[in-house]
Amino acid sequence: MTRLRSADISGIPLELEAYDRELLLKSGCNLLQLACRAAGLGAEDAQRATAKMRASVVPIRWGQGVIEGFCQATAAILGHLGIEASVTRNADLSGLAEAYETGADAVFLADDHDFVALNTRTHQSIHNAAATGSGFTTGLDLMIGGVAEQRVLVLGCGGVGREAAATLLRHGAKVCICDVDVGRCDDFRRSGHGPEWTNLSIESDFRNAIGRHALIVEATNASEIIDAKMISSQTCIAAPGMPLGLSREAADMISNRLLHDPLQIGVATMGMGVARQLIRNEAWRQSAGL
């Protein structure tokens, strides 16, 4: 998992309304609507569930420690969706115990290697990498009016890239995946089942691949690997990777055809994923009066 910097996320709590407006212009959906689509949750169900949900974000000090502002940004994103969310007073295991003791339906916590949402009612988990891949792929689908039958390049075969590729395949896209470690792509292809996986190909030369694709999911952790000369006026990019893999000139060139953020879409999709799990749980619905 890419380690964010405080500078990447410090402004998130104050900028969510502006982010919604930008996302609406690019995709036709705000953050809540996009996350609902990514999680397979209807708007009415989402509203009913979020009004009753409580989430706790637990600071984890192990490894390299807490990223300043990370927990507050995560709680702010969840609150923006209508979920009652707060950061625990305690950290680490004491914080996890606090979240359970105060009745949280979901606990969000991250260390150096993973970022998960734990559903305390259904005993399920949602990983940020999968939610981010699904969320940004949904965003790309919305931006172009549907990825079915479209050729899409996925750069990066880590957790985010694999989920993005799998989601694209389920949506009927023709997917080409590229990674510096071609073996990861081979392993991913062998892991797939179903007729849609015949639409997956592997490319070892990312520069070559970019030249043949107008639709790109940039899910690497490499900086500025895509420059303005490699893209065209038709290029549309969903970029969950941190740092951004486009040069400043390339990002300016495609502007409203670039979907990129450090945390918002991934956390929102995690939140709506938990909401979907809760709605399917009869015991929670009864306790919430739904």
Side-chain angles (χ1 to χ4, degrees), residues 100 102-106 118-124 278 281 284 287:
Y100 272 82
T102 55
D105 300 301
L118 304 177
N119 189 325
T120 67
R121 309 303 179 186
T122 67
H123 311 296
Q124 294 169 285
L278 290 171
N281 183 262
W284 183 82
S287 67

Side-chain angles (χ1 to χ4, degrees), residues 207-269:
R207 292 179 181 272
N208 235 358
I210 290 173
R212 300 196 312 271
H213 292 83
L215 305 178
I216 300 170
V217 177
E218 193 278 297
T220 74
N221 59 3
S223 175
E224 300 189 11
I225 59 172
I226 301 174
D227 60 44
K229 295 177 182 178
M230 301 167 69
I231 59 179
S232 73
S233 59
Q234 304 303 311
T235 304
C236 187
I237 299 179
M242 287 296 294
L244 179 61
L246 281 73
S247 68
R248 178 170 295 181
E249 184 182 0
D252 290 343
M253 179 178 169
I254 64 172
S255 187
N256 284 338
R257 302 190 309 280
L258 171 64
L259 184 62
H260 173 69
D261 70 49
L263 202 60
Q264 292 92 319
I265 288 175
V267 169
T269 304

Side-chain angles (χ1 to χ4, degrees), residues 73-288:
T74 299
I77 295 165
L78 296 170
H80 185 66
L81 303 178
I83 298 168
E84 182 185 335
S86 60
V87 180
T88 58
R89 293 190 302 275
N90 297 304
D92 304 329
L93 291 179
S94 295
L96 183 58
E98 178 187 331
Y100 272 82
E101 290 163 2
T102 55
D105 300 301
V107 183
F108 288 72
L109 63 172
D111 62 14
D112 295 349
H113 306 290
D114 208 350
F115 175 22
V116 298
L118 304 177
N119 189 325
T120 67
R121 309 303 179 186
T122 67
H123 311 296
Q124 294 169 285
S125 63
I126 295 176
H127 293 256
N128 178 261
T132 299
S134 173
F136 272 86
T137 301
T138 299
L140 181 65
D141 184 67
L142 289 165
M143 287 170 72
I144 68 165
V147 296
E149 300 300 321
Q150 299 290 323
R151 297 169 65 245
V152 186
L153 172 66
V154 177
L155 296 176
C157 194
V160 175
R162 290 195 300 270
E163 184 64 28
T167 304
L168 287 164
L169 289 169
R170 289 194 295 271
H171 287 178
K174 299 173 182 177
V175 180
C176 177
I177 193 163
C178 181
D179 192 277
V180 291
D181 183 351
V182 179
R184 297 174 80 183
C185 298
D186 288 328
D187 290 343
F188 174 66
R189 181 164 57 183
R190 285 193 291 270
S191 73
H193 304 283
E196 69 271 18
W197 285 78
T198 60
N199 286 326
L200 176 69
S201 61
I202 296 173
E203 172 64 69
S204 58
D205 185 341
F206 84 94
R207 292 179 181 272
N208 235 358
I210 290 173
R212 300 196 312 271
H213 292 83
L215 305 178
I216 300 170
V217 177
E218 193 278 297
T220 74
N221 59 3
S223 175
E224 300 189 11
I225 59 172
I226 301 174
D227 60 44
K229 295 177 182 178
M230 301 167 69
I231 59 179
S232 73
S233 59
Q234 304 303 311
T235 304
C236 187
I237 299 179
M242 287 296 294
L244 179 61
L246 281 73
S247 68
R248 178 170 295 181
E249 184 182 0
D252 290 343
M253 179 178 169
I254 64 172
S255 187
N256 284 338
R257 302 190 309 280
L258 171 64
L259 184 62
H260 173 69
D261 70 49
L263 202 60
Q264 292 92 319
I265 288 175
V267 169
T269 304
M270 292 170 80
M272 290 303 97
V274 173
R276 186 171 185 261
Q277 292 170 350
L278 290 171
I279 285 171
R280 292 183 165 192
N281 183 262
E282 181 65 31
W284 183 82
R285 290 202 310 272
Q286 289 180 0
S287 67

